[in-house]
Structure formats: structure tokens, C-alpha cells
Amino acid sequence: MNAGIRPVRTQAELGLVDVYTTSRQGLPGGSDISAVRAAAFNHFVLSGLPHPRVEAWKYTDLRRLMRDAKPLAAPPDAEAKARAHDAGGLFAALGFRRLVVLNGSFVPQLSDLDGLETGLLVRSMADALALDEPLLSQGLGPMVPADDPALALNTALAGDGVVITVSPNVTIERPVHLVFINTGAAPAAMVTRSLVVVGGGARATFVETHEGRDQSDYQVNTVLQLVVGDEAQVDHIKITREGSAAIHVATLLANIGARAKFNELGFTSGGAVVRNQQFVLLAGEGTEANLRGLSLLADRQHVDTTLAVDHAAAGSQSREVFKAVVDDEARAVFQGKIRVRPKAQKTDAKMMTRALLLSDSAEADGKPELEIFADDVQCGHGATTGSLDDQLKFYLMARGIPQKEAEALLIQAFAAEVVEAIEHDGLREALMEAMVAWLGQRG
């Protein structure tokens, strides 16, 4: 954007100003939190909604895609809670500890809070904000370098979410399932913020799912801040299955300590417009990060995965593998940047993105980048886009397999690499079934 030129504000931007003005007095938090919110909203006002002239948002024009601003969702009533009783059912049989955030509010009555393991603490973000704790007032700002309008908007408007802490050297055997669901029929916005702090030497698995009603006009802006201590291991799996008309913007801020291991996987099949952005700081020496993602897109879906991995210390390793299967008139975007700071010698980092286009109208944009300031590293990246292999499809059809089944087998073989990396057997099988179900819905 040229200096001194301020674009005309869109209806959505004007609406967001109204939402903040009318809501700020009711948002949780004391004077410190309010000051952070005000500063964040001023940042948003100056930048506006992201658009293609902002390099990080080159392929996702939120000024165009977001036509208006919805009012913040009201706290869920008894009817909404009843509708959410079976939320997160994809993993219901796996016995995960379920924590439900319904229409933007944490609902203890729907959550499994009995018998928390020693060393595991769960709180409502709204309750924590009301205490004006320094950790939260500091944490509401960017924990890792992330100058982003959507993040600023979340900081200004976030009302609830969950705060989870795992004590050092504690292993949480039972995965924690964060269920974010919208059951409302009226247009609304859910702005949630969650914080997970895992102590040094601890180990835990967190599953995050987002779902809502098809054709329901709603917007989601959600942020997860994740602090992983030295020598800890954290697995985080995020599944986005929003309603067919939803706009979903999610930000992961991860700060990973020394000699820790961080496994991240994103699975996206729902939502009209989805932006999953991840800012991962490998802050300590000898850290290992495995970041993977799979998007299954159809109709006119637009899904943007933007990733920034920052190697800040020596001897760390990262692997990034992101795949997209794109049908009809859908569009998949991947932007990934590996940054290696001057002190991060002996860094080993590799990034790969692959897209499979199933129709002539499908589109995929890939932009992997390296930004290296150290001289003793091994770094690489790659990107491919293509269609189904006609020879392989002919091979299968020649053996009596119908065309659609042959295509499904080839698509499944392409996508399975991402899901098969999940260590938890039940979780891996559930996502495999979700992938097969998506394939079954193809016309």
C-alpha cells in the first residue's frame, strides 16, 4: 500500500468498528487487558482487513470475501446447549477429555472436567481474563513475532476460550479434545482465544475441532497460543469442518522450547473461506517439529494455509508436508516460510507442498520460501501441482474397478501420507474414515 493513501473502508470494516465500540465494555478483563485490547484494535483500524497487497495475504482477499461484520454471538441458552450435546462426535468413541466452547463461550456443563489428571488444570479464558493475570495480559499480545490484522482483531474482541496448563514432567495419557461449535441460526461471530502451557518434560495430546451448521451465516476468528517447555512433547491436531457458508480464520502461535518435540497436523474439509495461519518459533536448541496438513476441497471453497517456521537456536529440525485435493471450483493456497536466524547453525529444515487438482476449474497456489541467515544449515523446499495419473487410473479400470472407485483409490493414496503420520491409532483411523466419507460425497 502506498504511504498516505487510505482505502475506503468496506462495510465489514465499518461494522467491526461498531462491534468493538458496542462490545468493549462487556468484554472480560481489567485495566491491563483493556489497554492491550485497545492497542490491538487501533492496529487493526490502521491496517484494515487484509487484502492482496499485503504479501502474507496475497491469495486471500478478506476485504472482498468478508462482506459484512456479524455481531458477537450471545452466550448459549439451554436450547443451544441441548443442540451441542453430541458435538465433536467424530471422536466420541475414543474417550478423549472433551472441553466444549459453544457459540464462543466455554460451557463446563458440556465438558468433561471430572477427575482431571494430577498436573492438568483447565479454566475458562473469560474467568482468567477477569483476574487480569500478567501471563494473559502479556500473552494477548503476540507471543511470537506475528504482525497480523486478523490476530489483532482477535486480541481486541476475544471473549472466551480455555486456559490449560500441564505441570512439568507430567504425562497426560488421555488426549484433550477442544470442541468449538456453533449451533446458532442467526448470523454471528465467534471470537475465541485459548492458551495451552505445557511444562518442561511433560507430554500431552490436544485435538481441536471446529464445526457448525451448514448454510448458517457465521464467522470465526480463533487463536490458540501454545507454550511448550524444554524437553516436552506435544501433539496438536486441528480439524476444521465448519458449515458450508462459514468464514473461519484461525491462528496458531507456538513457542517451542529446547530439545522439545512438536507434532502438528491440520485437516480441513469444511467452511466456505478458511485461513489457517501458523507461527511457530523453535526457540531452543535441538528442537524437533513435524508440521503436516491436508485439505479436501470442493464446490467453491477457498482454503489458505499460511505457515511461518522460525528457527531461532542451533541444532533444530523441522519437516513440513502439506497436501491439498481440490475439486470443482475450489481453491487451495499454501504459503510457507522457513526462517533461520544467524545463531541457528546446524538447522535441518525441509518443506514440501503438493496439490492434486480434480477438475479444470480447480486452482492451487503454492509459495514456499526460505530465509536463511546462517551458513551451516541444510534447508530445502518444493512444490508440485498436478492431476490424477491417467495411466494408473487406466491400470485400475482395466482390472474391473469403476472409474469413480479408481479415482478414489488414487486420491486416497495421495492424501494418506499426511494422516498416516498420526501416532494415535483411533485418531488416525477416524480421520481416514472422514477422508473416505469425503471421497464418497464426490459426484
Side-chain angles (χ1 to χ4, degrees):
M1 183 187 309
N2 294 327
I5 298 177
R6 176 174 293 182
V8 175
R9 297 203 184 282
T10 65
Q11 183 178 346
E13 290 170 334
L14 293 172
L16 287 167
V17 173
D18 289 341
V19 169
Y20 177 73
T21 302
T22 57
S23 305
R24 60 181 176 180
Q25 296 297 329
L27 293 170
S31 57
D32 290 346
I33 298 292
S34 296
V36 173
R37 290 188 187 279
F41 194 74
N42 286 336
H43 177 86
F44 170 76
V45 169
L46 291 174
S47 60
L49 286 169
H51 49 79
R53 283 181 290 177
V54 177
E55 184 63 24
W57 290 79
K58 180 178 180 179
Y59 302 102
T60 299
D61 186 355
L62 212 55
R63 288 190 97 220
R64 178 179 62 82
L65 294 169
M66 186 174 169
R67 296 180 178 176
D68 57 11
K70 314 298 183 191
L72 296 179
D77 55 18
E79 184 180 349
K81 292 176 183 176
R83 285 198 296 266
H85 187 268
D86 296 325
L90 181 64
F91 305 119
L94 300 179
F96 295 170
R97 182 178 295 283
R98 195 177 75 150
L99 306 176
V100 177
V101 178
L102 171 60
N103 298 349
S105 298
F106 177 59
V107 183
Q109 301 95 314
L110 295 175
S111 301
D112 182 4
L113 299 173
D114 294 332
L116 289 176
E117 294 90 335
T118 302
L120 176 63
L121 178 63
V122 178
R123 294 184 291 164
S124 156
M125 175 60 87
D127 291 344
L129 287 170
L131 297 175
D132 231 3
E133 297 176 7
L135 174 64
L136 295 174
S137 58
Q138 295 164 10
L140 270 180
M143 188 174 57
V144 296
D147 183 14
D148 182 82
L151 177 59
L153 197 57
N154 180 282
T155 299
L157 294 172
D160 206 354
V162 292
V163 178
I164 301 173
T165 57
V166 179
S167 299
N169 301 313
V170 168
T171 296
I172 305 299
E173 299 286 355
R174 188 179 175 192
V176 178
H177 183 188
L178 287 74
V179 180
F180 294 83
I181 181 170
N182 171 45
T183 63
M190 275 60 65
V191 185
T192 60
R193 189 85 164 217
S194 297
L195 172 65
V196 176
V197 180
V198 179
R203 181 169 182 170
T205 297
F206 301 95
V207 181
E208 181 185 348
T209 58
H210 295 263
E211 54 190 283
R213 298 166 57 149
D214 276 340
Q215 307 305 325
S216 181
D217 187 11
Y218 66 95
Q219 299 166 352
V220 173
N221 185 331
T222 183
V223 171
L224 173 64
Q225 294 178 247
L226 178 61
V227 182
V228 179
D230 294 347
E231 300 179 358
Q233 177 172 335
V234 170
D235 293 356
H236 174 241
I237 296 95
K238 177 177 183 285
I239 294 97
T240 307
R241 306 175 77 194
E242 297 283 17
S244 57
I247 294 178
H248 175 102
V249 178
T251 304
L252 170 68
L253 302 172
N255 188 319
I256 315 298
R259 299 173 299 284
K261 185 174 183 179
F262 177 51
N263 297 316
E264 163 74 22
L265 187 142
F267 182 98
T268 301
S269 61
V273 177
V274 175
R275 161 91 169 190
N276 284 317
Q277 52 183 13
Q278 303 171 3
F279 303 94
V280 180
L281 173 62
L282 305 183
E285 294 185 358
T287 299
E288 178 182 345
N290 298 295
L291 311 171
R292 297 178 175 86
L294 175 62
S295 298
L296 304 175
L297 312 180
D299 300 325
R300 299 176 64 88
Q301 285 182 280
H302 177 112
V303 173
D304 178 339
T305 301
T306 293
L307 169 68
V309 180
D310 189 350
H311 291 259
S316 60
Q317 173 182 298
S318 72
R319 294 289 183 271
E320 295 84 24
V321 178
F322 287 80
K323 291 189 173 184
V325 179
V326 193
D327 204 354
D328 303 324
E329 299 177 50
R331 183 183 188 187
V333 175
F334 175 81
Q335 298 182 101
K337 176 185 284 187
I338 294 173
R339 184 169 188 260
V340 182
R341 299 192 192 187
K343 293 182 179 179
Q345 302 291 350
K346 305 295 183 184
T347 290
D348 181 359
K350 293 180 176 60
M351 176 183 291
M352 173 58 73
T353 176
R354 293 191 173 101
L356 180 61
L357 304 181
L358 302 181
S359 81
D360 293 339
S361 302
E363 179 176 343
D365 302 283
K367 193 181 73 168
E369 298 177 83
L370 299 175
E371 191 174 88
I372 300 174
F373 299 97
D375 54 13
D376 186 10
V377 301
Q378 295 185 45
C379 296
H381 65 68
T384 65
T385 300
S387 57
L388 288 174
D389 189 313
D390 287 335
Q391 289 187 347
L392 289 177
K393 188 164 72 173
F394 176 78
Y395 176 86
L396 294 172
M397 293 173 64
R399 280 148 181 81
I401 298 176
Q403 178 178 341
K404 282 297 178 185
E405 291 184 25
E407 291 180 355
L409 286 172
L410 294 175
I411 296 168
Q412 192 169 349
F414 169 82
E417 177 191 0
V418 174
V419 177
E420 286 175 347
I422 298 175
E423 291 186 8
H424 191 286
D425 293 340
L427 190 54
R428 183 176 61 252
E429 291 172 6
L431 288 183
M432 283 291 189
E433 290 176 5
M435 183 168 60
V436 171
W438 183 87
L439 290 169
Q441 293 173 354
R442 289 191 67 219

